[in-house]
Amino acid sequence: MTNAGPTDAQLAGPTDELPYRLVATDLDGTLLRPDHTVSARTRDALAAATAAGAAHIVVTGRTVPVARHILDDLGYQGLAVCGQGAQLYHAGEHRLVTSVTLDRQVALLALEKIEAEIGPLSLAAARDGLDGEVLFGEGYRMDHEGMPLVPFTDPAELWSQPISKLYIQHPELDDDALADAARTAAGGLVGVTMAGTGLVELLPLGLTKATGLSMAARRLGMAAGDAIAFGDMPNDIPMLGWAKHGVAMANAHRDLKAVADEITASNTEDGIAVVLERLFPAARR
């Protein structure tokens, strides 16, 4: 699966043969199967869409250091939106194009407000940059493959370098309840999203996958009206809302399904391919 940038066909206006010029896909739970691979059928469907003139952009909550090995394994060469929209990454050149960091003083204030309401949190933080590590503190459950992990014991370490985002966990609240509580306590200071099991995240206020995808699309001369987007978790809600057509996987969180224009098959049943084969005749098997 490759994405070498826009072709003349991609920069031309939409045609009856090209219903969408931009195909945006989340990674985990959407494009990737549980073993972090992409099926041959989905690869073929994406290849047919890009051969027809559409651009494929990966949009993931993973920061660049956590996404990079996945993108390399997929042979992905184009722009990827990483870190919930904070980072625009050129996969073919292994280059960080843009990066937005979380204000550490604001993040600390947000944490204080959240903990004042629900008690102590377990924390982790993604450091900024191409090789930024993920620091994690006592009690934080790290079930996430591929993260370059470094434990910390002194809280000052968490704030010693620029960070892309914070991860928070609570000993009793589930992810939905924790995200709701964090949003209520500190939603005026930081963005709060849930990206997967055990992944409640604090982000720069106003930052979403939609803002990152919009920036990437502009670089390709495209806009929301050109886009179809696929996702599975609440952090994909802004992206599906931005795109002309938003598709939730069958395995998606209920909140995403509630706002999607369409629900396709699951990530293990080639849900992306099911839709693309309908839209792009050359993708049909």
Side-chain angles (χ1 to χ4, degrees):
M1 182 174 62
T2 61
N3 180 336
T7 64
D8 290 342
Q10 290 164 357
L11 295 174
T15 68
D16 291 340
E17 292 75 30
L18 196 64
Y20 300 101
R21 299 168 63 209
L22 175 59
V23 179
T25 64
D26 171 48
L27 273 182
D28 298 278
T30 303
L31 179 63
L32 300 180
R33 295 179 291 190
D35 63 358
H36 293 165
T37 64
V38 179
S39 72
R41 180 183 177 187
T42 295
R43 285 178 181 269
D44 289 347
L46 283 166
T50 56
H56 173 218
I57 294 182
V58 165
V59 187
T60 177
R62 291 172 178 254
T63 57
V64 169
V66 183
R68 187 167 53 189
H69 73 285
I70 295 282
L71 298 174
D72 287 345
D73 287 348
L74 296 177
Y76 186 85
Q77 297 292 307
L79 290 176
V81 178
C82 299
Q84 309 293 7
Q87 298 169 319
L88 189 59
Y89 172 64
H90 195 298
E93 299 176 0
H94 292 125
R95 178 170 57 90
L96 193 57
V97 180
T98 62
S99 184
V100 177
T101 57
L102 177 61
D103 185 294
R104 285 166 279 174
Q105 289 185 323
V106 172
L108 184 56
L109 178 58
L111 283 174
E112 290 173 353
K113 287 182 173 292
I114 297 167
E115 291 188 326
E117 295 297 324
I118 61 174
L121 298 168
S122 297
L123 304 176
R127 283 181 168 164
D128 186 41
L130 279 173
D131 300 306
E133 304 130 329
V134 177
L135 303 180
F136 69 100
E138 184 178 356
Y140 193 90
R141 303 178 303 279
M142 270 297 174
D143 305 321
H144 317 302
E145 242 180 81
M147 286 188 174
L149 304 175
V150 176
F152 73 89
T153 53
D154 181 357
E157 293 180 63
L158 204 62
W159 315 108
S160 64
Q161 296 182 33
I163 57 175
S164 297
K165 58 182 174 181
L166 286 176
Y167 305 92
I168 61 174
Q169 292 176 349
H170 190 274
E172 297 174 0
L173 298 179
D174 66 19
D175 295 330
D176 288 296
L178 176 56
D180 287 344
R183 205 171 284 118
T184 298
L189 295 171
V190 294
V192 181
T193 195
M194 184 171 65
T197 304
L199 288 172
V200 177
E201 302 177 3
L202 306 186
L203 309 166
L205 190 63
L207 179 77
T208 68
K209 283 190 174 185
T211 58
L213 178 56
S214 175
M215 181 185 299
R218 286 198 302 272
R219 286 176 174 265
L220 300 183
M222 301 181 194
D226 300 309
I228 182 171
F230 297 81
D232 74 307
M233 291 299 291
N235 62 322
D236 295 315
I237 290 174
M239 176 173 73
L240 266 63
W242 178 83
K244 182 178 180 180
H245 191 73
V247 183
M249 313 303 286
N251 52 290
H253 190 281
R254 62 182 180 276
D255 290 352
L256 187 69
K257 288 181 176 179
V259 301
D261 297 306
E262 177 180 352
I263 298 174
T264 187
S266 72
N267 63 321
T268 61
E269 298 172 322
D270 298 305
I272 291 174
V274 168
V275 175
L276 294 183
E277 287 167 358
R278 184 185 77 234
L279 295 172
F280 296 89
R284 296 172 191 160
R285 288 195 159 195

